[in-house]
Amino acid sequence: MTTPGWPDQLAQARLHVVTGKGGTGKTTVAAALALALAAGGKRTLLVEVEGRQGIAQLFDTAPLPYEERRIAVAPGGGEVRALAIDPEAALLEYFELFYRLGMAGRTLRKMGAIEFATTLAPGLRDVLLTGKVKECVTRKEKDGTPVYDAVVLDAPPTGRVVSFLDVTKAMADLAKVGPIHTQAEGVVKLLHSPLTAVHLVTLLEDLPVTETLEAIEQLRDAELRPGAVIVNQVRPQWLPDRSVTAAANGRVDAERIRAGLASAGLDLAPDVIDGLVAETVDHAVRIHAEGLALARLDAGTDRPRLELPTLLDGVDLGSLYELTEELVEQGAGSGVPV
């Protein structure tokens, strides 16, 4: 059974991987989580790996280059930096770091060899992406303290997240010695440790809930640690519980509604009353279905659950900070190690 809140186990994580079925709002949730984890003067890094420039669009800024840039100030004075990881740039960095092939690497890029290599070996692409994430998580200041209090990764959707995170294990088995082996081993160690938590974003709908529950099992089978289930776009309930089921089945007393409005001084035309009845039924149907989905989610996993409200006016910077406040109030960010 899920439990509300953000337990101490999650507060100890340094890498927060955010995934979810397409359309659930995982990038928005990842951004809000990065802000929440930076609250109170901390520093977080928000990373994307799918080349969509979703972070730049969300924060209404220019497309992100392959460098870490400050994009937001968190509540309480913290800061969020962002990085869009490009596989080719990561491979060039890898060549320079391990083989001192700076100029040669750039020549290979011009020849198309890097694109060829990452296409021929898709696992190599994911090793480069996760390897860069690992470097950001483990990077230290001169005094030995971590550069970032937390790193939030806007990861691929749930259907691909396990293969994305676990591909380094296969690469480590393939490359028995050398820098690739060492790099892969380091990534495997981080991703399979308590320092990493994989959070799942879902909507209260059948398909997202099903995919979330399946992903939790797949993560556990791969010895990766599921984090919190973050239920996004939760609708406010305007009807009392006892009225939801009846209204969802179309049992709404139009005359009672008319009388109630009349007693409040509102004398509405019959067609307006009919419209209100239809909206009431539609609202009740949605709330009833979401209640069933929540019960299924609650029964299907023991992961902690956080909830975020529906944004009626869409997502902008203001509403992103509203979501951040919701996460902070539910405990996200408390106890982040420094």
Side-chain angles (χ1 to χ4, degrees), residues 5 8 14 60 71-72 74 104 108 115 138 141 153 172 175 187 195 204 208 210 220 246 257 264 301 314 319:
D8 290 341
R14 305 197 70 85
D60 193 24
I71 58 167
L108 288 172
E115 182 180 358
T138 58
E141 301 280 10
L153 171 60
V187 175
L195 294 177
L204 291 179
T210 295
R220 285 177 168 154
I257 292 177
T301 180
S319 58

Side-chain angles (χ1 to χ4, degrees), residues 44-45 54 65 129 139 215 245 286 292 312 329:
T44 62
L45 178 67
L129 297 173
R139 192 188 311 156
T245 301
R286 291 176 181 271
L292 294 176
L312 299 178
E329 287 177 5

Side-chain angles (χ1 to χ4, degrees), residues 33-217:
L33 180 59
L35 284 164
L37 293 170
K42 300 181 182 69
R43 178 187 292 174
T44 62
L45 178 67
L46 176 59
V47 180
E48 68 176 14
V49 293
E50 296 183 277
R52 297 185 296 106
Q53 288 291 337
I55 295 173
Q57 295 173 32
L58 196 55
F59 286 91
D60 193 24
T61 187
L64 297 171
Y66 183 57
E67 64 181 46
E68 295 154 36
R69 285 191 174 181
R70 175 173 167 172
I71 58 167
V73 176
E79 78 169 20
V80 176
R81 295 186 181 182
L83 172 66
I85 302 180
D86 172 67
E88 288 193 359
L91 185 54
L92 289 177
E93 185 177 70
Y94 182 86
F95 281 158
E96 174 62 24
L97 181 63
F98 292 108
Y99 296 102
R100 304 300 179 191
L101 295 177
M103 288 297 295
R106 286 188 285 275
T107 301
L108 288 172
R109 184 176 193 175
K110 290 179 180 178
M111 294 170 59
I114 294 176
E115 182 180 358
F116 174 76
T118 54
T119 301
L120 186 64
L124 176 60
R125 180 183 184 277
D126 289 348
V127 168
L128 294 169
L129 297 173
T130 53
K132 180 60 180 178
V133 172
K134 179 252 183 186
E135 186 275 325
C136 294
V137 173
T138 58
R139 192 188 311 156
K140 306 284 188 180
E141 301 280 10
K142 290 182 179 179
D143 62 2
T145 59
V147 171
Y148 294 106
D149 296 291
V151 174
V152 177
L153 171 60
D154 179 17
T158 46
R160 204 177 85 79
V161 71
V162 173
S163 62
F164 172 76
L165 294 174
D166 209 36
V167 71
T168 49
K169 196 168 185 178
M171 289 297 292
D173 292 338
L174 288 172
K176 300 298 184 183
V177 295
I180 292 180
H181 176 76
T182 303
Q183 173 86 339
E185 272 196 332
V187 175
V188 169
K189 183 178 179 180
L190 171 66
L191 294 180
H192 292 263
S193 78
L195 294 177
T196 299
V198 184
H199 307 296
L200 298 106
V201 182
T202 187
L203 304 179
L204 291 179
E205 299 173 2
D206 282 340
L207 287 178
V209 167
T210 295
E211 199 158 310
T212 296
L213 295 175
E214 290 175 349
I216 289 172
E217 292 306 311

